Amino acid sequence: MRLNSKWNRRSFLGSAGVIASSLLAPRKLFSWNRRAAGASTPVSGFGQTGNPYEELGVTTVINCEGTMTMLGGSLPHPELEAVMTLAGRHFVSIPELEVAAGKRIAEMLKLPEGYTALVTSGAAAAIQSGLAGILTGGNEALIRQLPDLTGMKSEVIIQKSHRNPFDHQLRSTGIKLIEIETVDQLRAAVNERTAMMHFSNFANAAGQIKVEEWVKLAKQYNIPCMNDAAADTPPVSHLWDYTNMGYDLVTFSGGKAIRGPQCAGLLIGRTEMVANALLNNSPHEDTLGRSQKVGKEEIVGMVKALELFLAQDHEALAKEWQDRLEGISREINKIPGVSTSFFVPDIANHVPHMSITWDEARIPLTPQEASKLLRNSKPSIVMGSGEGRPGLAMNSFMLQPGEDKIVTEQLSRLLREHAA
Ligand SMILES: *Cc1c(COP(=O)(O)O)cnc(C)c1O
């Protein structure tokens, strides 16, 4: 496919004509007929158990840790299944779909004037393509040239405490990260090579310059500013808080608490920058982001997931998650020497958590050993020792119905069995 920047940019800016839809009606009819014909086919994986993972010989786990990409992120809203299946029954221009999805997302989130969104293959992809778009603009030669930065800006400023594994997606464009700690150091670091100022939202407390001040400073210098808020919903308001603050680009994971398709994410930002990000991304060839393909099914699924996420009663959910933890707490507190306490991390996995500690003189078992035994139990339970606290820590927002009972039973059995 030829890289056609003008067409895409124009579409994003809202002036392109919509492709004629005269063929839609018969096609739609055809798809309905096909669906009806296939409706009675039984669901199967590689056998009839209903669990394709077990059929492949891979053990599924009960997730008490939260939205960990290593464990598969989150389980998508069940409603997505049907929508994504329908999306897989038609061909469509992907850039046109991306523009339409972005418009719908901007409406749903009531983004400020001049903002839109791009569905990417994840927040990591959003980081890379967002920066790539800033570096290249709509210049096709520069897009093909990345990560060779000849003729482009080449530095991104970041607070030292905000460095994290996902800044690899900044470095992959070829830029150099300039680490600073204080406002004075920031002022000294800004120069004509500065392409962007990056903020890692989860590190807000760790850095000297907080989220609002960071974007204000960027505005003073007229430097584009990105906030990686990948894992920072809930609260749901984070989806618009940062654009309201003035951030030019904000990234979110689709496959974490939003419970969209696992291979989806959002780049929310200024229309021109988002358009340029798309030019640096799949389906466009000879681009840095061609390896970050997002499919039509994921794009549609992501928009739908966002709609479902916004419609949820977030307070009721938080209460349900807390109630589950309290149910587990009541039972294991009956074991001599065991105690529990509750906490909510300020940011990232901002949901009810429970610490589980025990007197190791009465129950000679380290949290690491307990975690390992739970992992090896049947069914397998993933519960970390940690969050920087003693004992085990768990949350309940990824638990499926009935799993809190299993966790209660296995945890109780484990702790009782090891009592001295
Ligand atoms: C999970 C995460 C990402 C990556 O998100 P994906 O959607 O998995 O690509 C980026 N940044 C932070 C801080 C994250 O927690």
Side-chain angles (χ1 to χ4, degrees):
M1 181 180 167
R2 212 178 70 81
L3 186 69
N4 188 339
S5 65
K6 289 196 185 68
W7 185 86
N8 288 307
R9 255 172 7 125
R10 253 207 326 266
S11 321
F12 250 114
L13 298 170
S15 59
V18 173
I19 285 177
S21 57
S22 57
L23 285 176
L24 254 177
R27 241 194 251 154
K28 207 167 167 186
L29 195 65
F30 177 68
S31 80
W32 277 98
N33 285 343
R34 206 163 33 167
R35 193 155 68 118
S40 60
T41 314
V43 179
S44 70
F46 310 99
Q48 296 303 318
T49 68
N51 184 334
Y53 301 109
E54 302 282 358
E55 287 163 4
L56 286 174
V58 182
T59 308
T60 51
V61 302
I62 293 177
N63 178 3
C64 297
E65 283 200 341
T67 55
M68 317 299 290
T69 301
M70 194 66 90
L71 291 178
S74 58
L75 301 188
H77 294 275
E79 294 92 328
L80 295 193
E81 255 174 56
V83 182
M84 291 176 72
T85 302
L86 290 175
R89 289 180 179 168
H90 305 273
F91 292 101
V92 69
S93 153
I94 297 295
E96 189 193 348
L97 173 62
E98 282 284 26
V99 173
K103 273 198 183 130
R104 177 62 69 94
I105 292 167
E107 286 163 17
M108 286 196 293
L109 299 182
K110 302 186 176 70
L111 296 180
E113 190 63 31
Y115 277 79
T116 189
L118 179 69
V119 178
T120 60
S121 63
I127 294 169
Q128 183 183 282
S129 18
L131 174 57
I134 288 171
L135 293 167
T136 63
N139 184 316
E140 290 185 31
L142 296 183
I143 289 170
R144 280 195 291 269
Q145 189 188 301
L146 279 185
D148 169 357
L149 289 172
T150 309
M152 293 175 243
K153 297 186 192 254
S154 58
E155 295 180 357
V156 169
I157 302 176
I158 188 170
Q159 293 181 76
K160 197 171 178 183
S161 54
H162 285 226
R163 292 291 313 272
N164 74 87
F166 293 102
D167 63 44
H168 203 131
Q169 273 62 57
L170 297 171
R171 289 179 277 123
S172 60
T173 64
I175 61 91
K176 190 169 160 221
L177 287 175
I178 308 296
E179 290 181 3
I180 58 105
E181 287 179 273
T182 65
V183 173
D184 284 345
Q185 287 171 354
L186 169 71
R187 294 196 190 284
V190 172
N191 65 61
E192 70 287 350
R193 293 181 302 277
T194 309
M196 192 178 88
M197 283 169 57
H198 188 73
F199 197 85
S200 303
N201 205 51
F202 72 88
N204 188 44
Q208 290 188 31
I209 310 174
K210 306 301 179 195
V211 65
E212 286 199 72
E213 190 183 1
W214 188 253
V215 70
K216 279 192 190 129
L217 287 162
K219 296 225 167 306
Q220 274 180 23
Y221 290 103
N222 203 21
I223 297 170
C225 197
M226 179 188 278
N227 188 1
D228 173 21
D232 298 345
T233 56
V236 64
S237 70
H238 279 182
L239 286 166
W240 49 83
D241 285 345
Y242 306 114
T243 43
N244 286 344
M245 274 178 207
Y247 275 88
D248 302 293
L249 293 173
V250 187
T251 62
F252 290 100
S253 262
K256 290 181 181 165
I258 297 173
R259 296 181 59 203
Q262 187 45 214
C263 305
L266 292 174
L267 178 69
I268 293 175
R270 295 197 192 273
T271 304
E272 183 88 28
M273 287 187 195
V274 169
N276 292 332
L278 175 56
L279 295 178
N280 278 279
N281 212 336
S282 179
H284 301 299
E285 296 181 350
D286 202 353
T287 63
L288 190 65
R290 178 59 185 80
S291 53
Q292 303 171 335
K293 186 194 285 181
V294 60
K296 55 195 181 303
E297 299 82 359
E298 284 83 19
I299 297 171
V300 168
M302 186 67 235
V303 178
K304 189 69 190 175
L306 208 51
E307 188 186 292
L308 294 164
F309 184 66
L310 290 170
Q312 280 175 339
D313 182 343
H314 294 273
E315 266 177 41
L317 275 176
K319 182 172 182 313
E320 187 183 325
W321 299 334
Q322 178 69 26
D323 286 350
R324 283 182 199 158
L325 293 179
E326 285 177 10
I328 298 169
S329 168
R330 265 193 302 280
E331 286 307 309
I332 59 175
N333 265 308
K334 291 177 187 165
I335 305 166
V338 175
S339 56
T340 57
S341 61
F342 301 99
F343 65 98
V344 178
D346 285 338
I347 208 156
N349 283 313
H350 178 71
V351 296
H353 281 60
M354 179 167 70
S355 274
I356 305 163
T357 51
W358 55 89
D359 176 357
E360 283 189 33
R362 296 170 85 165
I363 305 171
L365 184 69
T366 66
Q368 290 74 18
E369 286 164 346
S371 177
K372 203 167 165 196
L373 287 166
L374 287 169
R375 180 78 199 230
N376 292 331
S377 70
K378 271 191 177 143
S380 175
I381 295 174
V382 178
M383 190 187 299
S385 53
E387 294 281 331
R389 290 156 203 267
L392 291 169
M394 71 171 289
N395 54 55
S396 67
F397 75 133
M398 291 295 121
L399 291 182
Q400 299 306 295
E403 288 183 345
D404 47 343
K405 280 222 164 58
I406 299 173
V407 172
T408 306
E409 282 164 17
Q410 297 204 167
L411 201 50
S412 301
R413 189 180 313 132
L414 177 73
L415 293 168
R416 285 186 199 281
E417 272 175 9
H418 285 82

